[in-house]
Amino acid sequence: MDLSQFSGFLVFLTIFTMGFWLMIFLITFIIPYWLIGYFKESWKYRKEGRAIPKK
């Protein structure tokens, strides 16, 4: 394996690893935060007795 193949492998490994950790971050933090906020807000509007405002 010469230098160009090795550097290409390192670039691939870097991009793959960044994508993997971004996916883990989205699944464990961002998506639950978004869902919890949505359900809290809809519960608040339902408790007040009015519909969720459309944007």
Side-chain angles (χ1 to χ4, degrees):
M1 185 187 286
D2 61 349
L3 184 62
S4 66
Q5 286 178 329
F6 183 67
S7 62
F9 175 71
L10 286 180
V11 168
F12 165 76
L13 204 60
T14 303
I15 293 171
F16 179 78
T17 306
M18 285 191 294
F20 174 76
W21 287 114
L22 179 63
M23 182 185 68
I24 295 296
F25 176 70
L26 285 173
I27 289 172
T28 57
F29 293 108
I30 302 299
I31 293 176
Y33 177 77
W34 175 68
L35 287 174
I36 289 170
Y38 172 76
F39 286 121
K40 268 186 174 176
E41 192 168 342
S42 65
W43 177 261
K44 181 179 73 170
Y45 283 120
R46 188 181 313 147
K47 200 162 75 169
E48 291 176 0
R50 56 185 181 151
I52 297 175
K54 300 291 182 189
K55 294 185 179 185

